[in-house]
Amino acid sequence: GYGQFFSNTSKEYAPAIVDTLRRIGCGEVADLTLKAFGYLGLEEPITIDALDRVMNECDEELENILDESCDKKYYEVAGDLSGALFEFIKENSDKIILK
């Protein structure tokens, strides 16, 4: 869920996640992710340092809010985003450069 995403090494993607979700056509999930950042008291631009500060102080109440208000909604509206990602890759393969 969002709590794990914001706490684990995956947090390195947090600063770019909202824009990335919009680019692959997942606007509803992008909005939900912004809502999750809002529960943390964070506004864009999101930084890893700010996320670390908030998550280091994260309590059970905040984790429950993320679970009830974001994680459950995520699985209702998004689930597996791999289809949207693969579609984006197919449509933009000529623009993707691997380093």
Coordinates of all heavy atoms in Angstrom, one line a residue:
G1 N 0.8 -1.2 0.0 CA 0.0 0.0 0.0 C 0.9 1.3 0.0 O 2.1 1.2 -0.1
Y2 N 0.2 2.4 0.2 CA 0.9 3.7 0.1 C 1.9 3.8 1.3 O 3.0 4.3 1.0 CB -0.1 4.8 0.2 CG -0.7 5.1 -1.2 CD1 -2.0 4.6 -1.5 CD2 -0.1 5.9 -2.1 CE1 -2.5 4.9 -2.7 CE2 -0.6 6.2 -3.3 CZ -1.9 5.6 -3.7 OH -2.4 5.9 -4.9
G3 N 1.6 3.3 2.5 CA 2.5 3.4 3.6 C 3.8 2.7 3.2 O 4.9 3.2 3.5
Q4 N 3.7 1.5 2.6 CA 4.9 0.8 2.3 C 5.7 1.5 1.1 O 6.9 1.6 1.1 CB 4.6 -0.6 1.9 CG 4.1 -1.5 3.0 CD 5.2 -1.7 4.1 OE1 6.3 -2.0 3.7 NE2 4.9 -1.4 5.3
F5 N 4.9 2.0 0.1 CA 5.5 2.7 -1.0 C 6.3 3.9 -0.5 O 7.4 4.2 -1.0 CB 4.5 3.1 -2.0 CG 5.0 3.9 -3.1 CD1 5.7 3.3 -4.1 CD2 4.8 5.3 -3.2 CE1 6.2 4.1 -5.2 CE2 5.3 6.0 -4.3 CZ 6.0 5.4 -5.3
F6 N 5.8 4.6 0.5 CA 6.4 5.8 1.0 C 7.5 5.5 2.0 O 8.4 6.4 2.2 CB 5.4 6.7 1.7 CG 4.3 7.3 0.8 CD1 3.1 7.6 1.4 CD2 4.5 7.5 -0.5 CE1 2.1 8.1 0.6 CE2 3.5 8.0 -1.3 CZ 2.3 8.3 -0.8
S7 N 7.6 4.3 2.5 CA 8.6 3.9 3.5 C 9.8 3.1 2.9 O 10.9 3.3 3.4 CB 8.0 3.1 4.6 OG 7.0 3.9 5.3
N8 N 9.5 2.3 1.9 CA 10.6 1.4 1.4 C 11.4 2.1 0.4 O 11.2 3.3 0.1 CB 9.9 0.2 0.8 CG 9.2 -0.7 1.9 OD1 9.6 -0.7 3.0 ND2 8.2 -1.4 1.5
T9 N 12.3 1.4 -0.2 CA 13.2 2.0 -1.3 C 12.4 2.5 -2.5 O 12.9 3.3 -3.2 CB 14.3 0.9 -1.7 OG1 13.6 -0.2 -2.2 CG2 15.2 0.6 -0.6
S10 N 11.2 2.0 -2.6 CA 10.3 2.5 -3.7 C 10.1 4.0 -3.6 O 9.7 4.7 -4.6 CB 9.0 1.8 -3.7 OG 8.4 1.8 -2.5
K11 N 10.3 4.6 -2.4 CA 10.0 6.0 -2.2 C 10.9 6.9 -3.1 O 10.5 8.0 -3.4 CB 10.3 6.4 -0.7 CG 11.7 6.3 -0.3 CD 11.9 6.6 1.1 CE 13.3 6.3 1.5 NZ 13.5 6.1 3.0
E12 N 11.9 6.3 -3.7 CA 12.8 7.1 -4.6 C 11.9 7.6 -5.8 O 12.3 8.5 -6.5 CB 14.0 6.4 -5.1 CG 13.7 5.2 -6.1 CD 15.0 4.5 -6.5 OE1 15.6 5.0 -7.5 OE2 15.3 3.5 -5.9
Y13 N 10.8 6.9 -6.1 CA 10.0 7.2 -7.2 C 8.9 8.2 -6.8 O 8.1 8.7 -7.7 CB 9.3 6.0 -7.8 CG 10.4 5.0 -8.3 CD1 10.6 3.8 -7.6 CD2 11.1 5.3 -9.4 CE1 11.6 2.9 -8.0 CE2 12.1 4.4 -9.9 CZ 12.4 3.2 -9.1 OH 13.3 2.3 -9.6
A14 N 8.7 8.5 -5.6 CA 7.6 9.4 -5.1 C 7.6 10.7 -5.7 O 6.6 11.2 -6.1 CB 7.7 9.5 -3.6
P15 N 8.8 11.4 -5.9 CA 8.7 12.7 -6.5 C 8.2 12.7 -7.9 O 7.6 13.8 -8.4 CB 10.2 13.2 -6.5 CG 10.8 12.4 -5.4 CD 10.1 11.1 -5.4
A16 N 8.3 11.6 -8.6 CA 7.8 11.6 -10.0 C 6.5 10.8 -10.2 O 6.0 10.8 -11.4 CB 8.9 11.0 -10.9
I17 N 6.0 10.2 -9.2 CA 4.9 9.3 -9.4 C 3.6 9.9 -9.9 O 3.0 9.3 -10.8 CB 4.6 8.5 -8.1 CG1 3.7 7.3 -8.4 CG2 4.0 9.3 -7.0 CD1 4.3 6.2 -9.2
V18 N 3.2 11.1 -9.5 CA 2.0 11.7 -9.9 C 2.1 12.0 -11.4 O 1.2 11.6 -12.2 CB 1.6 12.9 -9.1 CG1 0.4 13.6 -9.7 CG2 1.3 12.5 -7.6
D19 N 3.1 12.6 -11.8 CA 3.3 13.0 -13.2 C 3.4 11.7 -14.1 O 2.8 11.6 -15.2 CB 4.6 13.8 -13.5 CG 4.8 14.2 -14.9 OD1 3.8 14.8 -15.5 OD2 5.8 13.9 -15.5
T20 N 4.1 10.7 -13.6 CA 4.2 9.4 -14.3 C 2.9 8.7 -14.5 O 2.5 8.3 -15.6 CB 5.2 8.5 -13.6 OG1 6.5 9.2 -13.6 CG2 5.4 7.2 -14.4
L21 N 2.1 8.7 -13.5 CA 0.8 8.1 -13.5 C -0.1 8.8 -14.6 O -0.8 8.2 -15.4 CB 0.1 8.1 -12.2 CG 0.7 7.1 -11.2 CD1 0.2 7.4 -9.8 CD2 0.3 5.7 -11.6
R22 N 0.0 10.1 -14.6 CA -0.8 10.9 -15.6 C -0.3 10.6 -17.0 O -1.2 10.4 -17.9 CB -0.7 12.4 -15.3 CG -1.5 12.8 -14.0 CD -1.7 14.3 -14.0 NE -2.1 14.7 -12.6 CZ -3.2 14.4 -12.0 NH1 -4.1 13.6 -12.6 NH2 -3.5 14.9 -10.8
R23 N 1.0 10.5 -17.2 CA 1.5 10.2 -18.5 C 1.1 8.9 -19.1 O 0.9 8.7 -20.3 CB 3.0 10.3 -18.5 CG 3.5 11.8 -18.3 CD 5.0 11.9 -18.4 NE 5.4 11.7 -19.7 CZ 6.6 11.3 -20.1 NH1 7.6 11.2 -19.2 NH2 6.9 11.1 -21.3
I24 N 0.9 7.9 -18.2 CA 0.5 6.6 -18.7 C -1.0 6.4 -18.7 O -1.5 5.3 -18.9 CB 1.2 5.4 -17.9 CG1 0.7 5.3 -16.5 CG2 2.7 5.5 -18.1 CD1 1.2 4.0 -15.8
G25 N -1.7 7.5 -18.4 CA -3.2 7.5 -18.5 C -3.9 7.0 -17.3 O -5.1 6.6 -17.4
C26 N -3.3 7.1 -16.1 CA -3.9 6.7 -14.9 C -4.2 7.9 -14.0 O -3.7 8.0 -12.9 CB -3.0 5.7 -14.2 SG -2.7 4.2 -15.1
G27 N -5.0 8.9 -14.5 CA -5.2 10.1 -13.8 C -5.9 9.9 -12.5 O -5.7 10.6 -11.5
E28 N -6.8 9.0 -12.4 CA -7.6 8.7 -11.2 C -6.6 8.2 -10.1 O -6.7 8.6 -8.9 CB -8.7 7.7 -11.4 CG -9.7 7.6 -10.3 CD -10.9 6.8 -10.6 OE1 -11.0 6.2 -11.7 OE2 -11.8 6.8 -9.7
V29 N -5.7 7.4 -10.4 CA -4.7 6.9 -9.5 C -3.7 8.1 -9.1 O -3.3 8.2 -7.9 CB -3.9 5.7 -10.0 CG1 -2.9 5.2 -9.0 CG2 -4.8 4.6 -10.4
A30 N -3.4 8.9 -10.0 CA -2.6 10.1 -9.7 C -3.3 11.0 -8.7 O -2.6 11.5 -7.8 CB -2.3 10.9 -11.0
D31 N -4.6 11.2 -8.9 CA -5.3 12.0 -8.0 C -5.4 11.4 -6.6 O -5.2 12.1 -5.5 CB -6.7 12.2 -8.4 CG -6.8 13.1 -9.7 OD1 -5.8 13.9 -10.0 OD2 -7.9 13.1 -10.4
L32 N -5.5 10.1 -6.5 CA -5.5 9.3 -5.3 C -4.1 9.5 -4.6 O -4.1 9.6 -3.4 CB -5.9 7.9 -5.5 CG -6.0 7.0 -4.3 CD1 -7.0 7.5 -3.3 CD2 -6.3 5.6 -4.8
T33 N -3.1 9.4 -5.4 CA -1.7 9.5 -4.8 C -1.5 10.9 -4.2 O -0.9 11.1 -3.2 CB -0.7 9.2 -5.9 OG1 -1.0 7.8 -6.3 CG2 0.7 9.2 -5.3
L34 N -2.0 11.9 -4.9 CA -2.0 13.3 -4.4 C -2.7 13.4 -3.1 O -2.3 14.1 -2.1 CB -2.6 14.3 -5.4 CG -1.6 14.8 -6.5 CD1 -2.4 15.7 -7.5 CD2 -0.4 15.5 -5.9
K35 N -3.9 12.7 -3.0 CA -4.6 12.7 -1.8 C -3.8 12.0 -0.6 O -3.8 12.5 0.5 CB -5.9 11.9 -2.0 CG -6.9 11.8 -0.8 CD -8.1 11.1 -1.3 CE -9.1 11.0 -0.1 NZ -10.3 10.2 -0.5
A36 N -3.1 10.9 -0.9 CA -2.2 10.3 0.0 C -1.1 11.2 0.5 O -0.9 11.3 1.7 CB -1.6 9.0 -0.5
F37 N -0.5 12.0 -0.4 CA 0.5 12.9 0.0 C -0.2 14.0 0.9 O 0.5 14.4 1.9 CB 1.1 13.6 -1.2 CG 2.1 12.8 -2.0 CD1 2.0 12.8 -3.4 CD2 3.1 12.1 -1.4 CE1 2.9 12.0 -4.1 CE2 4.0 11.3 -2.1 CZ 3.9 11.3 -3.4
G38 N -1.4 14.4 0.6 CA -2.1 15.4 1.4 C -2.3 14.9 2.8 O -2.2 15.6 3.8
Y39 N -2.6 13.6 3.0 CA -2.8 13.0 4.4 C -1.5 13.1 5.1 O -1.5 13.2 6.4 CB -3.3 11.6 4.3 CG -4.7 11.4 4.0 CD1 -5.1 10.7 2.9 CD2 -5.7 12.1 4.7 CE1 -6.5 10.5 2.6 CE2 -7.0 12.0 4.4 CZ -7.4 11.2 3.3 OH -8.8 11.1 3.0
L40 N -0.4 13.1 4.4 CA 1.0 13.2 5.0 C 1.3 14.6 5.3 O 2.3 14.9 6.0 CB 2.0 12.5 4.2 CG 1.9 11.0 3.8 CD1 3.0 10.6 2.9 CD2 1.8 10.2 5.1
G41 N 0.5 15.5 4.8 CA 0.8 17.0 5.0 C 1.8 17.4 3.9 O 2.5 18.5 4.1
L42 N 2.0 16.7 2.9 CA 3.0 17.1 1.8 C 2.3 17.6 0.6 O 1.2 17.2 0.2 CB 3.8 15.8 1.4 CG 4.7 15.2 2.5 CD1 5.3 13.9 2.0 CD2 5.7 16.1 3.0
E43 N 2.9 18.6 0.0 CA 2.5 19.2 -1.3 C 3.6 19.1 -2.3 O 4.8 19.0 -1.9 CB 2.1 20.6 -1.1 CG 0.9 20.8 -0.1 CD 0.5 22.3 0.0 OE1 1.1 23.1 -0.7 OE2 -0.3 22.6 0.9
E44 N 3.2 19.1 -3.5 CA 4.2 19.0 -4.6 C 5.0 20.3 -4.6 O 4.5 21.4 -4.3 CB 3.6 18.8 -5.9 CG 3.0 17.4 -6.0 CD 2.6 17.1 -7.5 OE1 1.6 17.7 -8.0 OE2 3.3 16.2 -8.1
P45 N 6.3 20.3 -4.9 CA 7.1 19.1 -5.2 C 7.4 18.3 -4.0 O 7.8 18.8 -3.0 CB 8.3 19.7 -5.9 CG 8.5 21.0 -5.2 CD 7.1 21.5 -4.9
I46 N 7.2 17.0 -4.2 CA 7.5 16.0 -3.2 C 9.0 15.8 -3.2 O 9.6 15.6 -4.2 CB 6.8 14.7 -3.4 CG1 5.3 15.0 -3.5 CG2 7.1 13.6 -2.4 CD1 4.7 15.5 -2.2
T47 N 9.6 15.7 -2.0 CA 11.1 15.4 -1.9 C 11.2 14.1 -1.0 O 10.3 13.9 -0.1 CB 11.9 16.5 -1.3 OG1 11.5 16.7 0.1 CG2 11.8 17.8 -2.1
I48 N 12.2 13.4 -1.2 CA 12.5 12.2 -0.5 C 12.8 12.6 1.0 O 12.3 11.9 1.9 CB 13.6 11.3 -1.1 CG1 13.1 10.8 -2.4 CG2 14.0 10.2 -0.1 CD1 14.2 10.0 -3.2
D49 N 13.5 13.7 1.2 CA 13.8 14.1 2.6 C 12.5 14.4 3.3 O 12.3 14.0 4.5 CB 14.7 15.3 2.6 CG 16.1 15.0 2.2 OD1 16.5 13.8 2.3 OD2 16.8 15.9 1.7
A50 N 11.6 15.1 2.7 CA 10.3 15.5 3.4 C 9.5 14.2 3.6 O 8.9 14.1 4.7 CB 9.5 16.5 2.5
L51 N 9.5 13.3 2.7 CA 8.8 12.1 2.9 C 9.4 11.2 4.0 O 8.6 10.7 4.8 CB 8.8 11.3 1.5 CG 7.9 10.1 1.4 CD1 6.5 10.4 1.7 CD2 8.1 9.5 0.0
D52 N 10.7 11.2 4.1 CA 11.4 10.5 5.2 C 11.0 11.1 6.5 O 10.7 10.3 7.5 CB 12.9 10.5 5.0 CG 13.4 9.5 4.0 OD1 12.7 8.5 3.7 OD2 14.6 9.7 3.6
R53 N 11.0 12.4 6.6 CA 10.6 13.1 7.9 C 9.2 12.7 8.3 O 9.0 12.3 9.5 CB 10.7 14.6 7.8 CG 12.1 15.1 7.9 CD 12.2 16.6 8.1 NE 11.5 17.4 7.0 CZ 12.1 17.7 5.8 NH1 13.4 17.3 5.6 NH2 11.5 18.4 4.9
V54 N 8.3 12.7 7.4 CA 6.9 12.4 7.8 C 6.8 10.9 8.1 O 6.1 10.6 9.1 CB 6.0 12.8 6.6 CG1 4.6 12.3 6.9 CG2 5.9 14.3 6.4
M55 N 7.4 10.1 7.3 CA 7.2 8.6 7.5 C 7.9 8.1 8.8 O 7.5 7.2 9.4 CB 7.6 7.8 6.3 CG 6.7 8.1 5.1 SD 4.9 7.9 5.4 CE 4.8 6.1 5.7
N56 N 9.0 8.8 9.2 CA 9.7 8.5 10.4 C 8.8 8.8 11.6 O 9.0 8.2 12.7 CB 11.0 9.2 10.5 CG 12.1 8.6 9.6 OD1 12.0 7.4 9.3 ND2 13.0 9.4 9.3
E57 N 7.9 9.7 11.5 CA 7.0 10.0 12.6 C 5.6 9.4 12.4 O 4.7 9.7 13.2 CB 6.8 11.5 12.7 CG 8.2 12.2 13.0 CD 8.1 13.7 13.0 OE1 6.9 14.3 12.9 OE2 9.1 14.4 13.1
C58 N 5.4 8.6 11.4 CA 4.1 8.0 11.0 C 3.6 7.1 12.2 O 4.4 6.3 12.7 CB 4.2 7.2 9.7 SG 2.7 6.5 9.2
D59 N 2.4 7.4 12.6 CA 1.9 6.6 13.7 C 0.8 5.6 13.1 O 0.4 5.7 11.9 CB 1.3 7.4 14.8 CG 0.2 8.4 14.3 OD1 -0.3 8.3 13.2 OD2 -0.1 9.3 15.1
E60 N 0.2 4.8 14.0 CA -0.8 3.9 13.6 C -2.0 4.6 13.0 O -2.6 4.1 12.0 CB -1.2 3.0 14.8 CG -2.1 1.9 14.4 CD -2.4 0.9 15.6 OE1 -1.5 0.8 16.4 OE2 -3.5 0.3 15.6
E61 N -2.4 5.7 13.5 CA -3.5 6.5 13.0 C -3.4 6.9 11.6 O -4.3 6.7 10.7 CB -3.8 7.7 13.9 CG -5.0 8.5 13.4 CD -5.2 9.7 14.3 OE1 -4.6 9.9 15.3 OE2 -6.1 10.5 13.9
L62 N -2.2 7.4 11.3 CA -1.9 7.8 9.9 C -1.9 6.6 9.0 O -2.4 6.6 7.9 CB -0.6 8.6 9.8 CG -0.2 9.1 8.4 CD1 -1.3 9.9 7.8 CD2 1.1 9.8 8.5
E63 N -1.3 5.5 9.4 CA -1.3 4.3 8.6 C -2.7 3.8 8.3 O -3.0 3.3 7.2 CB -0.4 3.2 9.3 CG 1.0 3.5 9.3 CD 1.9 2.3 9.2 OE1 1.5 1.2 8.8 OE2 3.1 2.5 9.4
N64 N -3.6 3.9 9.3 CA -5.0 3.5 9.2 C -5.7 4.4 8.2 O -6.5 3.9 7.3 CB -5.7 3.5 10.5 CG -5.3 2.3 11.4 OD1 -4.8 1.3 10.9 ND2 -5.5 2.5 12.7
I65 N -5.4 5.7 8.2 CA -6.0 6.6 7.3 C -5.5 6.3 5.8 O -6.3 6.2 4.9 CB -5.6 8.1 7.6 CG1 -6.3 8.5 8.9 CG2 -5.9 9.0 6.5 CD1 -5.8 9.8 9.5
L66 N -4.2 6.0 5.7 CA -3.7 5.7 4.3 C -4.4 4.4 3.8 O -4.8 4.3 2.7 CB -2.2 5.5 4.3 CG -1.4 6.8 4.4 CD1 0.1 6.4 4.6 CD2 -1.6 7.7 3.3
D67 N -4.5 3.4 4.7 CA -5.2 2.1 4.4 C -6.6 2.3 4.0 O -7.1 1.9 2.9 CB -5.0 1.1 5.5 CG -5.7 -0.2 5.2 OD1 -5.4 -0.7 4.1 OD2 -6.5 -0.7 6.0
E68 N -7.4 3.0 4.9 CA -8.8 3.1 4.7 C -9.2 4.1 3.5 O -10.1 3.8 2.7 CB -9.5 3.6 5.9 CG -9.5 2.6 7.0 CD -10.3 1.3 6.7 OE1 -11.4 1.4 6.1 OE2 -9.8 0.2 7.0
S69 N -8.4 5.2 3.4 CA -8.8 6.2 2.4 C -8.1 6.1 1.1 O -8.5 6.6 0.1 CB -8.5 7.6 3.0 OG -9.2 7.8 4.2
C70 N -7.0 5.4 1.1 CA -6.2 5.3 -0.2 C -6.0 3.9 -0.7 O -6.3 3.6 -1.8 CB -4.8 6.0 0.0 SG -5.0 7.8 0.5
D71 N -5.4 3.0 0.2 CA -5.1 1.7 -0.3 C -6.4 1.0 -0.8 O -6.3 0.4 -1.9 CB -4.5 0.8 0.8 CG -3.1 1.3 1.2 OD1 -2.6 2.2 0.6 OD2 -2.6 0.8 2.2
K72 N -7.4 1.0 -0.1 CA -8.6 0.3 -0.5 C -9.2 0.9 -1.8 O -9.6 0.2 -2.7 CB -9.7 0.3 0.6 CG -9.3 -0.6 1.7 CD -10.3 -0.6 2.8 CE -9.9 -1.6 3.9 NZ -10.8 -1.7 5.0
K73 N -9.2 2.2 -1.9 CA -9.7 2.9 -3.1 C -8.8 2.6 -4.3 O -9.2 2.4 -5.4 CB -9.7 4.4 -2.9 CG -10.2 5.2 -4.0 CD -11.7 5.0 -4.2 CE -12.3 5.9 -5.2 NZ -13.6 5.7 -5.6
Y74 N -7.4 2.5 -4.1 CA -6.5 2.1 -5.1 C -6.9 0.8 -5.8 O -7.0 0.7 -7.0 CB -5.1 2.0 -4.6 CG -4.1 1.5 -5.6 CD1 -3.4 2.4 -6.4 CD2 -3.8 0.2 -5.7 CE1 -2.5 2.0 -7.4 CE2 -3.0 -0.3 -6.7 CZ -2.3 0.6 -7.5 OH -1.4 0.2 -8.5
Y75 N -7.2 -0.2 -4.9 CA -7.5 -1.5 -5.5 C -8.9 -1.5 -6.2 O -9.1 -2.3 -7.1 CB -7.4 -2.6 -4.4 CG -6.0 -2.8 -4.0 CD1 -5.5 -2.4 -2.8 CD2 -5.1 -3.4 -4.9 CE1 -4.1 -2.5 -2.5 CE2 -3.7 -3.5 -4.6 CZ -3.3 -3.1 -3.4 OH -1.9 -3.3 -3.1
E76 N -9.8 -0.6 -5.8 CA -11.1 -0.5 -6.4 C -10.9 0.1 -7.8 O -11.6 -0.3 -8.8 CB -12.0 0.4 -5.6 CG -12.5 -0.2 -4.4 CD -13.3 0.8 -3.5 OE1 -13.7 1.8 -4.0 OE2 -13.5 0.5 -2.3
V77 N -10.1 1.2 -7.9 CA -10.0 1.9 -9.2 C -8.8 1.5 -10.1 O -8.9 1.7 -11.3 CB -9.9 3.4 -9.0 CG1 -11.2 3.9 -8.3 CG2 -8.7 3.9 -8.3
A78 N -7.8 0.9 -9.5 CA -6.6 0.7 -10.3 C -6.2 -0.8 -10.4 O -6.2 -1.4 -11.5 CB -5.4 1.5 -9.8
G79 N -5.9 -1.4 -9.3 CA -5.4 -2.7 -9.3 C -4.1 -2.8 -9.9 O -3.2 -2.0 -9.6
D80 N -4.0 -3.6 -10.9 CA -2.7 -3.8 -11.7 C -2.6 -2.8 -12.8 O -3.4 -2.7 -13.7 CB -2.7 -5.2 -12.3 CG -1.4 -5.6 -13.0 OD1 -0.5 -4.7 -13.0 OD2 -1.3 -6.7 -13.5
L81 N -1.6 -1.9 -12.7 CA -1.4 -0.9 -13.7 C -0.5 -1.3 -14.8 O -0.2 -0.5 -15.7 CB -0.7 0.3 -13.0 CG -1.5 1.0 -11.9 CD1 -0.7 2.2 -11.3 CD2 -2.9 1.5 -12.4
S82 N -0.1 -2.6 -14.9 CA 0.8 -3.0 -15.9 C 0.2 -2.9 -17.3 O 1.0 -2.5 -18.3 CB 1.3 -4.5 -15.7 OG 0.2 -5.4 -15.7
G83 N -1.1 -3.1 -17.5 CA -1.7 -2.9 -18.8 C -1.5 -1.5 -19.3 O -1.2 -1.3 -20.5
A84 N -1.8 -0.5 -18.4 CA -1.6 0.9 -18.9 C -0.2 1.2 -19.2 O 0.1 1.9 -20.1 CB -2.2 1.8 -17.8
L85 N 0.7 0.7 -18.4 CA 2.1 0.9 -18.6 C 2.6 0.3 -19.9 O 3.3 1.0 -20.7 CB 3.0 0.4 -17.4 CG 4.5 0.5 -17.6 CD1 4.9 2.0 -17.7 CD2 5.2 -0.1 -16.3
F86 N 2.2 -0.9 -20.2 CA 2.6 -1.6 -21.4 C 2.0 -0.9 -22.6 O 2.7 -0.7 -23.7 CB 2.3 -3.1 -21.4 CG 3.2 -3.9 -20.5 CD1 2.6 -4.7 -19.6 CD2 4.5 -3.7 -20.6 CE1 3.4 -5.5 -18.8 CE2 5.4 -4.5 -19.8 CZ 4.8 -5.4 -18.8
E87 N 0.8 -0.4 -22.5 CA 0.2 0.4 -23.6 C 1.0 1.7 -23.9 O 1.2 2.0 -25.0 CB -1.3 0.7 -23.3 CG -2.1 1.2 -24.4 CD -2.1 0.3 -25.6 OE1 -2.2 -0.9 -25.5 OE2 -2.1 0.8 -26.8
F88 N 1.4 2.3 -22.8 CA 2.1 3.6 -22.9 C 3.5 3.2 -23.6 O 3.9 4.0 -24.5 CB 2.4 4.2 -21.6 CG 3.3 5.4 -21.6 CD1 2.8 6.6 -21.9 CD2 4.7 5.3 -21.4 CE1 3.6 7.8 -22.0 CE2 5.5 6.4 -21.5 CZ 5.0 7.6 -21.8
I89 N 4.1 2.2 -23.2 CA 5.4 1.8 -23.9 C 5.2 1.5 -25.3 O 6.0 1.9 -26.2 CB 6.0 0.6 -23.1 CG1 6.4 1.0 -21.7 CG2 7.2 0.0 -23.9 CD1 6.8 -0.2 -20.8
K90 N 4.2 0.8 -25.7 CA 3.9 0.5 -27.1 C 3.7 1.7 -27.9 O 4.3 1.9 -29.0 CB 2.7 -0.5 -27.3 CG 3.0 -1.9 -27.0 CD 1.9 -2.8 -27.4 CE 0.8 -2.8 -26.4 NZ -0.3 -3.8 -26.7
E91 N 2.9 2.6 -27.4 CA 2.6 3.9 -28.1 C 3.8 4.8 -28.2 O 3.8 5.7 -29.0 CB 1.4 4.6 -27.4 CG 0.1 3.9 -27.6 CD -1.0 4.5 -26.8 OE1 -0.8 5.6 -26.2 OE2 -2.1 3.9 -26.8
N92 N 4.7 4.7 -27.3 CA 5.9 5.7 -27.2 C 7.2 5.0 -27.4 O 8.2 5.6 -27.0 CB 5.8 6.4 -25.9 CG 4.6 7.3 -25.8 OD1 4.5 8.3 -26.3 ND2 3.5 6.8 -25.1
S93 N 7.3 3.8 -27.9 CA 8.5 3.1 -27.9 C 9.6 3.8 -28.7 O 10.8 3.7 -28.4 CB 8.3 1.7 -28.6 OG 7.9 1.8 -29.9
D94 N 9.2 4.6 -29.7 CA 10.2 5.4 -30.5 C 10.8 6.5 -29.7 O 11.9 7.0 -30.0 CB 9.6 5.9 -31.7 CG 8.4 6.8 -31.5 OD1 7.7 6.6 -30.5 OD2 8.3 7.8 -32.3
K95 N 10.2 6.9 -28.5 CA 10.7 8.0 -27.7 C 11.5 7.5 -26.5 O 12.0 8.3 -25.7 CB 9.6 8.9 -27.3 CG 8.8 9.5 -28.4 CD 7.6 10.2 -27.9 CE 6.6 10.5 -29.1 NZ 5.3 10.8 -28.7
I96 N 11.4 6.2 -26.2 CA 12.0 5.7 -25.0 C 13.5 5.3 -25.3 O 13.8 4.5 -26.2 CB 11.2 4.5 -24.5 CG1 9.8 4.9 -24.1 CG2 11.9 3.8 -23.3 CD1 8.9 3.8 -23.8
I97 N 14.3 5.8 -24.4 CA 15.8 5.6 -24.5 C 16.2 4.9 -23.2 O 16.1 5.5 -22.2 CB 16.6 6.8 -24.8 CG1 16.1 7.5 -26.1 CG2 18.1 6.6 -24.8 CD1 16.6 8.9 -26.4
L98 N 16.8 3.8 -23.3 CA 17.3 3.1 -22.1 C 18.8 3.4 -22.0 O 19.6 3.4 -22.9 CB 17.1 1.6 -22.3 CG 15.7 1.1 -22.4 CD1 15.7 -0.4 -22.7 CD2 14.9 1.5 -21.2
K99 N 19.2 3.8 -20.8 CA 20.6 4.1 -20.5 C 21.3 3.1 -19.7 O 20.7 2.4 -19.0 CB 20.6 5.4 -19.7 CG 20.1 6.6 -20.5 CD 20.2 7.8 -19.7 CE 19.6 9.0 -20.4 NZ 19.7 10.3 -19.7

